Amino acid sequence: MGDVLRHLAHEGQRLSEADMLTPLPGDFVLTWESVDAILSAAWKTDREELKWTLFVQIARQVRRDGAYVFHQRYGSPDRYKRYVRLESFFTAESDSTWGSLVEEVIEFLDDPKQEYGWNLEPAQQHEYANSVITYRRDVATAERRIRRALLSRWLRLVTLMVTPLVLAVVGWGNLWPEDVPDLRTFNIVTIAVMLVLVVVFLVGFILRVKDEKHGVQSLFLLRRDLEIIHDRWILNASKARPTREHRDGYRERIPRVIERLRRDTKFYRRIHNWFQWGVFFASVGTTATTAFWDTPQPGKTILIVLGSFLAFATAVTGYFKFRERAYNLQQTADQVEQHAMAFDLGIAPYSDADAAVNLERFAENVEMLRMEQRKREQQLEQPHQGQTDVI
């Protein structure tokens, strides 16, 4: 501390090593300018034990009692960083000495674990960017392998389920040929169907996901690998970036959230519209069939098919509530987009002078909207009585 004091000036006078035990003047007020002067004096000493503090600087005074504190190796503070209040770190008591003041300032700013507002250094930023790219590539590869495994399983499963039925029809047609109008055409069609089933089964067999070390991978193992990728990323990200860095990137992820909400909205709305059009045509078809066919057949068969479809479509739309799901998702997407636009334009409720306050308020509002969306989804999953109780 003596080396620092020899480079520290107070009221135009150079301090000495003996001033370590000298009490501070009665009218002394610790300001950010004083802190900056102590750091400049530490920089002039070029001592190895002050290596970290040598790179700490006070960026600029903010308002009346705050300033940006940043580290030269870790970049300048951006518009999302909070300003640091002086009383949050330093306490200059009445009986403090010059030595205790300098020691306290350097001690608090010499802790690399403190989050004063600095970003990751360029090398760490580059490393983190590469880790993000690798993570997204691994996730995309794992999801593609899962989709391929699902397709392979369904192709083989459908083939194994349909083949016994086709064989049963073939046996019935050949054991009772008198019930078949044209046995030769019947056999040609059944042989063609069997060939198609064999091709589908072979395609599903070829599409199986294989690994050089473990051979064929089951769907369970593939999903487990995807979960491991996510868990590994969470662990690495928590170590690589401080909390503020995660919060700063929150706004950049919002467009993807809105896009996913709108994509789900289109999906549910499309299903609802298809079922509704089916109900319309089935209703018209039922009326037309009743009017045109007086004989039992084929009018009776058509009425049975149309009536069954109407009952099925009504039950499915009533149970899964596709229209309500699409409406809730669309409402949430519009509200999140409205908050994002207000945040970018700096209008209410994000018109505060401190950008960090606006970002924190924005994150709280968006997460509240997403939580309300999840609650509405849970209400749709419950029976009618359960929804009434929840409301």
Side-chain angles (χ1 to χ4, degrees):
M1 296 302 108
D3 294 338
V4 179
L5 285 173
R6 283 195 295 270
H7 292 86
L8 183 62
H10 176 66
E11 295 182 351
Q13 300 293 327
R14 289 286 179 183
L15 300 177
S16 63
E17 189 172 356
D19 290 321
M20 290 183 61
L21 302 178
T22 303
L24 294 174
D27 57 348
F28 179 81
V29 177
L30 182 63
T31 62
W32 281 112
E33 287 76 8
S34 302
V35 175
D36 192 31
I38 293 175
L39 295 179
S40 299
W43 179 81
K44 294 177 182 178
T45 61
D46 196 18
R47 296 286 295 273
E48 183 66 24
E49 60 269 20
L50 300 177
K51 184 176 182 180
W52 177 269
T53 310
L54 297 181
F55 291 96
V56 179
Q57 287 187 355
I58 309 301
R60 61 186 176 89
Q61 192 82 11
V62 180
R63 294 182 180 177
R64 188 178 61 183
D65 57 354
Y68 283 111
V69 181
F70 73 100
H71 198 278
Q72 287 182 339
R73 293 178 56 196
Y74 282 70
S76 303
D78 55 33
R79 62 190 181 96
Y80 292 151
K81 299 301 180 185
R82 293 182 181 274
Y83 62 89
V84 182
R85 292 183 179 274
L86 191 62
E87 61 269 17
S88 301
F89 301 103
F90 312 117
T91 56
E93 304 295 341
S94 59
D95 57 346
S96 298
T97 62
W98 282 107
S100 62
L101 175 66
V102 172
E103 185 177 3
E104 185 178 7
V105 170
I106 294 179
E107 179 182 356
F108 275 97
L109 291 177
D110 196 32
D111 185 4
K113 296 181 180 179
Q114 295 280 356
E115 289 187 1
Y116 297 107
W118 40 68
N119 297 317
L120 295 175
E121 58 181 312
Q124 291 179 333
Q125 290 179 349
H126 182 70
E127 181 181 355
Y128 178 76
N130 290 335
S131 66
V132 171
I133 296 174
T134 303
Y135 164 71
R136 299 195 182 283
R137 185 185 296 115
D138 293 342
V139 169
T141 302
E143 291 178 347
R144 184 172 63 251
R145 287 162 62 89
I146 290 175
R147 289 193 297 268
R148 178 174 175 177
L150 280 172
L151 178 61
S152 173
R153 187 177 70 173
W154 278 108
L155 289 177
R156 288 177 291 158
L157 183 61
V158 170
T159 303
L160 294 176
M161 292 176 61
V162 175
T163 300
L165 298 177
V166 176
L167 293 177
V169 173
V170 172
W172 167 78
N174 287 273
L175 292 176
W176 291 276
E178 62 275 6
D179 296 335
V180 180
D182 190 350
L183 184 60
R184 185 171 179 273
T185 304
F186 174 80
N187 288 330
I188 292 175
V189 172
T190 53
I191 291 173
V193 172
M194 288 297 299
L195 291 176
V196 171
L197 292 176
V198 170
V199 172
V200 171
F201 182 82
L202 292 176
V203 171
F205 186 81
I206 295 173
L207 288 178
R208 293 181 304 167
V209 178
K210 299 180 181 179
D211 188 82
E212 296 181 357
K213 296 182 179 180
H214 305 92
V216 178
Q217 296 289 300
S218 64
L219 188 61
F220 171 78
L221 294 178
L222 293 174
R223 287 175 174 169
R224 187 194 64 179
D225 292 341
L226 179 60
E227 292 298 326
I228 292 175
I229 293 174
H230 287 303
D231 293 340
R232 187 183 297 116
W233 164 252
I234 292 174
L235 293 175
N236 293 338
S238 62
K239 297 177 182 178
R241 304 182 74 193
T243 303
R244 292 190 177 185
E245 291 294 333
H246 288 285
R247 188 177 60 191
D248 295 343
Y250 182 82
R251 172 63 184 88
E252 307 304 325
R253 295 193 296 268
I254 293 303
R256 299 185 61 185
V257 174
I258 298 175
E259 181 183 358
R260 184 172 63 252
L261 290 172
R262 296 197 184 282
R263 184 172 62 249
D264 294 341
T265 299
K266 293 179 181 179
F267 173 75
Y268 287 119
R269 184 182 292 120
R270 189 179 298 113
I271 295 179
H272 175 75
N273 291 338
W274 276 107
F275 273 109
Q276 287 302 113
W277 279 108
V279 169
F280 296 155
F281 283 114
S283 301
V284 174
T286 301
T287 304
T289 302
T290 304
F292 289 139
W293 267 288
D294 295 332
T295 58
Q297 293 296 342
K300 184 177 180 180
T301 303
I302 297 176
L303 288 175
I304 292 174
V305 173
L306 294 177
S308 301
F309 176 77
L310 280 174
F312 173 77
T314 304
V316 169
T317 54
Y319 180 79
F320 291 103
K321 301 179 179 65
F322 298 114
R323 181 176 179 274
E324 290 79 1
R325 294 178 188 274
Y327 174 79
N328 292 336
L329 289 168
Q330 182 67 41
Q331 184 182 29
T332 304
D334 292 340
Q335 291 175 343
V336 173
E337 187 175 22
Q338 180 182 2
H339 280 279
M341 185 63 66
F343 177 80
D344 292 338
L345 297 178
I347 59 179
Y350 309 109
S351 56
D352 194 276
D354 190 355
V357 175
N358 292 331
L359 180 62
E360 182 178 358
R361 189 177 301 158
F362 173 73
E364 291 177 354
N365 292 334
V366 172
E367 291 303 316
M368 182 64 67
L369 292 174
R370 297 176 68 179
M371 183 175 65
E372 293 176 355
Q373 164 63 25
R374 287 191 289 268
K375 288 182 178 180
R376 289 193 292 265
E377 291 291 333
Q378 293 174 0
Q379 291 178 0
L380 291 177
E381 297 291 341
Q382 296 176 354
H384 180 71
Q385 182 66 32
Q387 293 182 20
T388 304
D389 295 341
V390 172
I391 295 175

